[in-house]
């Protein structure tokens, strides 16, 4: 995921709030007690911890802050190795299989399950309460890192999708406040559509049919799911009545407010950011990184012209969003696992999350407490993304999920239903059958 920096005002205040929250929760748990353990205090003088960090995820200043606290606490040094995205899945798999793997790895939240399924990551479950440090992790970060009810990844940061809208365009249509309900949203879009009838190829809300991240928000909002696990067996869910309702809701919204041409398209061709920048739509669903891209494409659009809000659901709540982001994994073969646990705990701590991950790097913190504490220091333009992250979901925590996502069949499912080339029931039945074979493959 690409990042976008946000205002850092109030970061130190945020750190104080989070620290108090952590203290009030009771702090760490002593070892024992049914397998619940505390991260051990360990002296690492003369040792060096190897940490892999993906390029573009954390700034050097943030990693340096973690390392400084870690070295002060343990005496150990840190060898940080920045990794490129190209070919990273193979590189990580190969490294984890060696006898000298990296001790700590920066992993995409939806990638954790594939490495955990191969036994390559340390089971963090006994340390979960201590690692959480009184915080409630975002579901979209912790859920995909939990395989067979065991935790294999420690939430690092998040990025969320929210509605980005042209406030100036909406104001000209008579809409001056962001909607908080689904009915308000559709009523506002109707007004925007009426005010822009003369603009050729205009969509009140540009939402491509193959945009499955958006489509899943409707499915989750209706109570449906991609798949659910019963023990180690996955059952695909698009044929369920709740998922079918979500698919119908998505199709109705998409067909009403996006262009007819968009029904078979994905977000990249044409680029939805460019469509927004060109004034061909008044709203899109995207991460906050899109704001900078939109303004680069159209410098006339200033922050005051733009706004964001979580997508309101028919459920009466905001639609659940699929978080992008990062989890910290520890190699099962690490010879420094205690030091690795100590380093990861610091990286996920309330103070590092507030002052550095949020305050310096601009990411959404890894917990609900972090988001709520950040609220007073957020710009109006960024609040929508942080608030959207409070209600999140995740892809199935199956080691085979990456293969299913990679073949684009889920994109095609939503595109076929949006375009009407397949009936929702038939498309769902076909996808579910293939998904169960893939997710349960040994």
């Amino acid at each position: 995921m690409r990042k976008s920096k946000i205002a850092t005002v109030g970061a130190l205040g945020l750190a104080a709030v989070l620290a108090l929250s952590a203290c009030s929760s009771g702090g760490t748990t002593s070892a024992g007690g049914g397998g619940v353990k505390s991260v051990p205090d360990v002296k690492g003088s003369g040792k060096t911890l190897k940490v892999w960090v993906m390029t573009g995820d954390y700034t050097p200043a943030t990693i340096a802050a973690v390392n400084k606290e870690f070295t002060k606490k343990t005496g150990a040094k840190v060898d940080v190795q920045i990794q490129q995205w190209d070919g990273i899945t193979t590189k990580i798999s190969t490294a984890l299989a060696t006898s000298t793997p990296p001790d700590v790895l920066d992993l995409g939240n939806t990638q954790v399950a594939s490495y955990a399924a191969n036994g390559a990551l340390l089971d963090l479950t006994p340390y979960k309460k201590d690692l959480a440090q009184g915080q409630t992790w975002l579901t979209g970060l912790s859920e995909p890192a939990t395989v067979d009810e065991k935790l294999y990844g420690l939430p690092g940061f998040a990025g969320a999708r929210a509605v980005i809208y042209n406030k100036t365009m909406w104001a000209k249509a008579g809409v001056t406040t962001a909607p908080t309900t689904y009915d308000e949203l559709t009523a506002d879009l109707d007004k925007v559509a009426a005010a822009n009838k003369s603009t050729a190829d205009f969509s009140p809300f540009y939402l491509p049919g193959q945009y499955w991240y958006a489509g899943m928000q409707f499915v989750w909002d209706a109570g449906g799911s991609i798949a659910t696990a019963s023990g180690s067996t996955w059952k695909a869910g698009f044929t369920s009545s709740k998922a079918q309702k979500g698919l119908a809701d998505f199709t109705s919204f998409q067909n009403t407010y996006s262009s007819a041409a968009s029904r078979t398209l994905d977000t990249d061709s044409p680029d939805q950011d460019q469509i927004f920048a060109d004034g061909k739509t008044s709203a899109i669903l995207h991460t906050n990184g899109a704001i900078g891209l939109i303004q680069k494409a159209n410098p006339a659009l200033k922050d005051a012209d733009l706004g964001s809000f979580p997508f309101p659901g028919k459920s009466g709540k905001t639609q659940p969003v699929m978080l992008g982001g990062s989890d910290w994994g520890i190699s099962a073969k690490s010879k420094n696992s205690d030091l690795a646990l100590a380093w990861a705990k610091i990286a996920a701590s309330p103070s590092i999350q507030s002052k550095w991950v949020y305050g310096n790097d601009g990411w959404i913190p890894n917990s609900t407490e972090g988001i709520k504490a950040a609220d007073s220091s957020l710009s109006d333009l960024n609040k929508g993304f942080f608030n959207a992250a409070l209600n999140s979901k995740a892809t199935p925590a199956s080691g085979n999920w990456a293969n299913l996502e990679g073949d684009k069949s889920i994109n095609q499912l939503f595109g076929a239903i949006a375009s009407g080339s397949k009936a929702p029931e038939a498309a769902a039945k076909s996808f579910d059958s293939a998904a169960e074979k893939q997710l349960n493959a040994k």
Side-chain angles (χ1 to χ4, degrees), residues 10-21 350-355 358 373:
L12 293 177
L14 173 62
V17 172
L18 288 175
L20 288 172
S21 174
S351 59
I352 291 293
Q353 286 288 309
S354 63
K355 184 176 180 180
Y358 158 66

Side-chain angles (χ1 to χ4, degrees), residues 17-323:
V17 172
L18 288 175
L20 288 172
S21 174
C23 291
S24 67
S25 70
T28 60
T29 303
S30 59
V36 177
K37 301 178 181 179
S38 294
V39 173
D41 290 327
V42 58
K43 298 304 179 184
S45 181
K47 294 185 177 181
T48 299
L49 196 72
K50 187 190 300 183
V51 178
W52 279 16
V53 180
M54 297 308 303
T55 183
D57 273 7
Y58 300 88
T59 63
T62 291
I63 296 300
V66 177
N67 292 343
K68 181 179 180 180
E69 186 172 340
F70 170 77
T71 298
K72 180 180 179 181
K73 183 178 179 65
T74 68
K77 296 180 180 180
V78 185
D79 175 17
V80 176
Q81 299 180 6
I82 304 300
Q83 304 299 316
Q84 303 302 313
W85 288 102
D86 187 36
I88 190 58
T89 300
T90 300
K91 186 173 184 180
I92 289 176
S93 297
T94 301
L96 289 173
T98 68
S99 60
T100 56
D103 299 294
V104 183
L105 302 96
D106 172 19
L107 304 172
N109 58 327
T110 61
Q111 298 175 328
V112 176
S114 62
Y115 303 120
N118 295 326
L121 297 179
L122 184 69
D123 179 4
L124 306 178
T125 310
Y127 306 97
K128 182 176 179 179
K129 186 174 182 180
D130 191 25
L131 290 171
Q133 300 165 80
Q135 306 299 287
T136 305
W137 289 329
L138 300 181
T139 304
L141 294 179
S142 62
E143 199 170 87
T146 304
V147 182
D148 294 334
E149 300 183 354
K150 294 181 179 180
L151 181 71
Y152 291 95
L154 180 56
F157 69 80
R161 292 173 181 81
V163 178
I164 300 173
Y165 73 112
N166 189 319
K167 290 171 64 175
T168 302
M169 188 180 290
W170 281 37
K172 290 179 179 178
V175 181
T176 56
T177 58
T180 58
T181 69
Y182 185 83
D183 288 344
E184 288 176 355
L185 172 62
T186 55
D188 290 346
L189 292 174
D190 289 339
K191 292 177 182 177
V192 173
N196 290 274
K197 283 183 178 180
S198 62
T199 302
D201 302 321
F202 181 80
S203 299
F205 197 122
Y206 186 76
L207 194 70
Q210 289 198 39
Y211 193 8
W212 73 275
Y213 295 135
M216 278 311 304
Q217 293 192 190
F218 287 83
V219 173
W220 282 325
D221 187 59
S225 64
I226 297 175
T228 54
S230 177
S232 59
T233 302
W234 287 94
K235 171 72 173 175
F238 279 110
T239 54
S240 72
S241 58
K242 290 180 179 178
Q244 286 289 301
K245 180 182 183 302
L247 290 171
D249 290 341
F250 168 73
T251 302
S252 175
F253 184 90
Q254 199 279 336
N255 286 187
T256 302
Y257 296 108
S258 194
S259 66
S262 72
R263 294 173 189 176
T264 60
L265 302 177
D266 212 327
T267 58
D268 55 347
S269 184
D271 186 335
Q272 65 173 350
D273 297 336
Q274 188 66 53
I275 289 173
F276 187 98
D278 291 343
K280 296 294 186 179
T281 187
S282 76
I284 58 174
L285 184 73
H286 214 322
T287 62
N288 67 343
I291 292 173
L293 298 175
I294 289 167
Q295 292 177 326
K296 182 178 181 180
N298 183 358
L301 287 173
K302 307 302 182 183
D303 285 0
D305 297 308
L306 305 174
S308 70
F309 58 86
F311 200 118
K314 281 191 170 183
S315 64
K317 302 176 182 178
T318 61
Q319 287 186 344
V321 299
M322 185 181 302
L323 294 185

